[in-house]
Amino acid sequence: SDAKSGRTDLIFLIRFRHCCLLRNQRCILAYLYDRLLRIRALRWEYGSVLPNTIQFHMSAEEVEWFNRYKKSLATYMRSVGGEEGLDLTQDIKPPKSLYIEVRCLRDYGEFEIDDGTTVLLKKNSQHFLPRWKCEQLIRQGVLEHIL
């Protein structure tokens, strides 16, 4: 109101304050966009269930966005690969062999393979399993790939 009444020395301060507010807005939007990109990467890294330590540091809106992204990705993967769908989260890196040797890092219980055999995953046990069946467990920290 003082600037409208004729005090021209305040116009510079008003413009400066407005520019600062716009800059802060751009910085906040860039920060939030970066967080969304990181949350999207977490879906590919950890799968559909996030560890509690990571979920603890997320806001309610970020958890909601993660769940919507997870559902959207699952719908897309079901629509692409025929009857069973296509799991895009497996084989992040191209496999060199179909079977890999793994060591169990913690007790997991019974694990069923597609041919019907079950393997008991106990701590420090080693197994020779199909790569595509155990990649998710490797990402979750249950199994460790032995090179």
Side-chain angles (χ1 to χ4, degrees):
S1 63
D2 286 341
K4 285 182 181 179
S5 66
R7 287 192 58 192
T8 56
D9 58 331
L10 294 178
I11 293 176
F12 173 75
L13 292 175
I14 292 170
R15 284 186 182 167
F16 179 72
R17 181 180 180 275
H18 183 68
C19 289
C20 290
L21 290 174
L22 290 177
R23 180 192 174 279
N24 289 346
Q25 182 183 20
R26 285 193 312 269
C27 291
I28 289 170
L29 288 174
Y31 171 75
L32 291 175
Y33 182 69
D34 183 60
R35 279 189 70 92
L36 284 182
L37 291 180
R38 290 172 191 253
I39 292 170
R40 185 175 68 181
L42 289 174
R43 167 58 180 98
W44 291 91
E45 185 178 342
Y46 288 104
S48 61
V49 179
L50 288 177
N52 289 335
T53 56
I54 292 176
Q55 207 166 15
F56 176 74
H57 295 290
M58 293 170 59
S59 69
E61 292 82 9
E62 290 172 336
V63 172
E64 180 185 340
W65 188 89
F66 176 81
N67 289 331
R68 282 187 301 178
Y69 180 73
K70 175 177 66 173
K71 288 176 186 174
S72 171
L73 184 63
T75 303
Y76 175 74
M77 289 191 297
R78 275 194 304 271
S79 70
V80 171
E83 290 181 19
E84 294 181 14
L86 178 65
D87 191 1
L88 298 173
T89 60
Q90 290 187 358
D91 293 330
I92 302 293
K93 297 177 185 172
K96 292 189 169 120
S97 64
L98 296 178
Y99 286 83
I100 59 172
E101 190 172 1
V102 292
R103 178 182 299 121
C104 192
L105 299 176
R106 61 180 183 205
D107 290 336
Y108 183 75
E110 290 189 354
F111 181 68
E112 186 174 346
I113 304 174
D114 280 345
D115 61 0
T117 59
T118 58
V119 177
L120 183 62
L121 298 177
K122 293 175 89 175
K123 187 174 183 175
N124 295 326
S125 62
Q126 293 186 3
H127 306 280
F128 198 64
L129 299 173
R131 173 185 293 274
W132 67 275
K133 283 297 279 186
C134 58
E135 244 188 14
Q136 190 72 24
L137 293 175
I138 291 172
R139 278 188 245 140
Q140 291 175 0
V142 175
L143 298 176
E144 173 187 41
H145 184 194
I146 300 173
L147 299 174

